[in-house]
Amino acid sequence: MEAVRANLGGFEVKICGWVQYLNLFGVAIGYTIASSISMMAIKRSNCFHASRGKNPCHMNSNPYMIGFGIAEIIFSQIPDFDQLWWLSIVAAVMSFTYSTIGLGLGIAKVAENGKIRGSLTGISVGTVTQTQKIWRSFQALGDMAFAYSYSLILIEIQDTLKAPPSESKTMSKATLLSVGVTTLFYMLCGCMGYAAFGDLSPGNLLTGFGFYNPFWLLDIANAAIVIHLVGAYQVYCQPLFAFIEKSAAKRFPDSEFITKDIKIPIPGFRPYNLNLFRLVWRTIFVMLTTLISMLLPFFNDIVGLLGAIGFWPLTVYFPVEMYISQNKIAKWSTRWLCLQILSIACLSITIAAAAGSIAGVILDLKSYKPFSTAY
């Protein structure tokens, strides 16, 4: 918001704020759903193994979402964004762990099959209808947009960096490296997963039970996903926490409930600063995201919708407009036209992805009962 205010100003600042914070709220819901699916996958994989595939091992997702919520209430009491560095490193290591396991299992399955399944045109019409295929293709665009959604918190991360070298140079190197590595992993996992299962590819490679064995390796991968999401939830929610807390302190500067820190001594460590407003508001936030997750447990469709909503405004429109404003690029010049074409093309992708995801959610709601989703 501050970057948009400095470069563009006006009503666009409010639009940026609404889109960013609504998306961060949505990401928290998406991560709660994803973590519960992985926790259930561990339980189901062990159940399948114990019954040798005879028991369908159905289970309710609610206890797992509540468990994840309790963990997030504890971690959400970390006061500031810059104190999350250790949690972020753990999350990154876990991300490499489950991505490598997923890739390895995909390669092993292709070798076992002795052929590459699937086709260049995707899922066969017949397995799904032509209309379903179109909607799912649109939804997949949203899933891809969500996979690169870190622009939501890029400036907040940059704000925690030390200088020299300049923050923007460090962030440019980090962005280039992270986009390169994640794209490599996304392409390898996606392509090998599809090559392994073809039309029967699950929505989630590690929890869709295309793989049943080795069950212990699947357990390690899903545990890594849960640990990663515990950290990622905090990294994405901290900017929203900070915004609400700063706004409350500005609005009610004399309220001790909002501004006073109570020092709690911890033997061997620095005292912990307990703020009552932070404790209450962050706990309510986590409880609310957990409750909504229990009401809307459709992972792929929700992720696609979130990706669609946040992608164009925050990853394309505002950065492009700020770049034009900063560099004083003349209207109707070649560079200005190219940037606008890029922006419009990405807007059309966003609209298609949102439409596909909404269609998916509507389809899910037809067979849905609140608080009783079982897998």
Side-chain angles (χ1 to χ4, degrees), residues 52-368:
R52 298 190 179 177
K54 291 172 187 171
N55 185 344
C57 303
H58 291 304
M59 55 191 65
N60 193 294
S61 60
N62 292 346
Y64 300 95
M65 290 188 188
I66 291 166
F68 183 79
I70 291 166
E72 291 305 343
I73 286 172
I74 295 164
F75 281 111
S76 69
Q77 297 312 311
I78 297 171
D80 297 312
F81 197 66
D82 61 319
Q83 291 173 17
L84 287 174
W85 62 269
W86 61 273
L87 198 59
S88 190
I89 288 170
V90 171
V93 170
M94 293 299 117
S95 187
F96 275 111
T97 303
Y98 68 72
S99 299
T100 306
I101 291 171
L103 177 59
L105 288 170
I107 292 168
K109 186 74 174 175
V110 172
E112 183 191 312
N113 295 339
K115 63 174 183 177
I116 290 173
R117 290 182 176 170
S119 69
L120 286 173
T121 55
I123 194 166
S124 313
V125 174
T127 310
V128 293
T129 65
Q130 185 70 52
T131 309
Q132 281 177 321
K133 183 169 178 174
I134 292 166
W135 285 130
R136 285 188 185 186
S137 299
F138 287 164
Q139 183 198 316
L141 293 172
D143 288 344
M144 287 181 214
F146 183 79
Y148 289 100
S149 65
Y150 72 99
S151 57
L152 283 170
I153 52 167
L154 186 145
I155 297 173
E156 276 79 3
I157 292 169
Q158 187 170 314
D159 192 41
T160 67
L161 299 177
K162 290 177 182 175
S166 76
E167 295 94 329
S168 61
K169 279 185 181 175
T170 306
M171 202 66 202
S172 293
K173 284 180 185 174
T175 301
L176 186 65
L177 180 67
S178 60
V179 168
V181 171
T182 51
T183 301
L184 179 69
F185 269 98
Y186 289 150
M187 291 299 290
L188 287 171
C189 288
C191 292
M192 292 314 298
Y194 184 53
F197 298 109
D199 286 356
L200 300 175
S201 297
N204 186 324
L205 189 61
L206 291 168
T207 63
F209 288 92
F211 304 116
Y212 288 91
N213 282 303
F215 79 100
W216 56 270
L217 193 59
L218 281 170
D219 289 354
I220 291 169
N222 281 300
I225 291 174
V226 175
I227 296 165
H228 173 211
L229 291 175
V230 167
Y233 184 105
Q234 289 304 319
V235 170
Y236 273 81
C237 288
Q238 282 286 343
L240 177 55
F241 292 160
F243 172 71
I244 296 294
E245 285 154 23
K246 281 176 186 172
S247 301
K250 198 181 282 184
R251 188 95 182 264
F252 307 103
D254 301 323
S255 168
E256 284 197 358
F257 174 69
I258 291 170
T259 57
K260 189 180 177 184
D261 283 345
I262 302 161
K263 290 198 181 296
I264 297 174
I266 303 169
F269 295 93
R270 284 187 299 178
Y272 174 74
N273 291 326
L274 176 70
N275 179 286
L276 290 176
F277 176 68
R278 183 174 67 228
L279 177 68
V280 172
W281 129 250
R282 293 188 184 189
T283 302
I284 290 169
F285 173 88
V286 175
M287 287 169 70
L288 186 61
T289 58
T290 306
L291 183 68
I292 294 171
S293 303
M294 288 157 69
L295 280 167
L296 298 169
F298 327 124
F299 176 63
N300 271 21
D301 298 319
I302 295 291
V303 159
L305 187 57
L306 291 173
I309 292 167
F311 175 65
W312 180 71
L314 299 174
T315 308
V316 184
Y317 175 74
F318 285 120
V320 163
E321 291 303 314
M322 287 193 287
Y323 179 78
I324 289 169
S325 171
Q326 265 191 342
N327 292 276
K328 298 181 170 58
I329 296 167
K331 253 189 181 182
W332 308 109
S333 65
T334 307
R335 187 186 278 188
W336 185 88
L337 281 170
C338 288
L339 288 166
Q340 296 303 332
I341 290 165
L342 170 71
S343 186
I344 291 164
C346 291
L347 174 61
S348 61
I349 291 168
T350 288
I351 292 166
S357 298
I358 290 165
V361 170
I362 290 167
L363 204 66
D364 290 329
L365 287 169
K366 286 180 181 176
S367 59
Y368 158 75

